[in-house]
Amino acid sequence: MKKTGTSLVKLVNLPKITDDCTLVFVESNKHIPFAIKRVYYILDAAVNLSRGRHAHKKLRQILFCIRGSIKITLDDGEIKDEVVLSSPEVGVYLDKMMWHEMKEFSRDTILLIFASDYFNIKDYIRDYDRFLLYAKKNRKS
Ligand code: T46
């Protein structure tokens, strides 16, 4: 996984084979730094849609934009950063306790997300002030 400078953006590059089509593959604990327990995808979003705007206490994820493009904003409570994804083999790592927003969907955006755990509603922090407090507490301990 490549971290760009002091930024929060850690990109994951998957192997891509191009012959008469494009084939991208992913293996748990190899290309992705955790065992994949859940996969979900997001499509048919309106162009001006904003999603996310939450953090996860424990969940780690990697998000790929396998069609179209999207902007992801990242915020660890101290630093804010953003990245545009538009290649099916390049994903961004969403660490635990990373406030994130998905925006600037293109008309054809398809997001594919690999997650380190099963769905757990208690893992979400959806209030930004609560996130900041929780992040500060985590940094001290
Ligand atoms: C995230 C970003 C990147 C489930 O029941 N199971 C699931 O596995 C998922 C992903 C969602 N849901 C339900 C929970 C909500 O009732 O689907 C509904 C929409 O979820 P949410 O508002 O969290 O959707 P996004 O697009 O804001 O966020 C999603 C993921 O849920 C989230 O974990 O980090 O994509």
Side-chain angles (χ1 to χ4, degrees):
M1 222 163 22
K2 199 166 71 184
K3 190 173 177 182
T4 51
T6 55
S7 84
L8 298 178
V9 178
K10 291 181 188 168
L11 296 177
V12 174
N13 279 278
L14 296 180
K16 179 169 94 166
I17 294 168
T18 310
D19 41 33
D20 53 0
C21 70
T22 300
L23 187 155
V24 180
F25 58 94
V26 54
E27 295 180 8
S28 274
N29 290 318
K30 188 172 169 187
H31 307 115
I32 296 228
F34 52 76
I36 299 165
K37 283 199 178 166
R38 180 164 53 105
V39 176
Y40 61 95
Y41 35 95
I42 297 174
L43 62 161
D44 296 337
V47 168
N48 56 359
L49 190 71
S50 159
R51 289 194 70 100
R53 284 179 287 152
H54 61 252
H56 287 281
K57 292 180 198 164
K58 294 200 176 133
L59 188 74
R60 295 180 295 149
Q61 306 185 90
I62 301 199
L63 198 152
F64 291 90
C65 184
I66 60 168
R67 176 73 73 204
S69 65
I70 191 160
K71 183 179 277 184
I72 314 287
T73 67
L74 303 169
D75 175 351
D76 69 355
E78 285 192 314
I79 305 172
K80 293 185 201 305
D81 215 336
E82 61 182 38
V83 61
V84 174
L85 294 179
S86 58
S87 306
E89 75 278 20
V90 181
V92 66
Y93 181 59
L94 289 183
D95 204 352
K96 63 180 180 176
M97 288 306 293
M98 188 68 74
W99 188 269
H100 56 278
E101 181 178 0
M102 300 166 279
K103 57 187 190 184
E104 296 181 25
F105 285 78
S106 61
R107 213 163 280 286
D108 54 348
T109 297
I110 300 179
L111 295 179
L112 178 63
I113 296 121
F114 299 102
S116 66
D117 214 339
Y118 305 117
F119 180 72
N120 175 8
I121 204 153
K122 291 189 184 146
D123 189 60
Y124 282 73
I125 305 178
R126 290 192 185 269
D127 179 82
Y128 188 67
D129 290 336
R130 204 175 137 239
F131 161 72
L132 289 178
L133 280 175
Y134 203 93
K136 197 170 170 186
K137 209 169 105 192
N138 271 14
R139 276 195 295 276
K140 281 186 187 157
S141 57

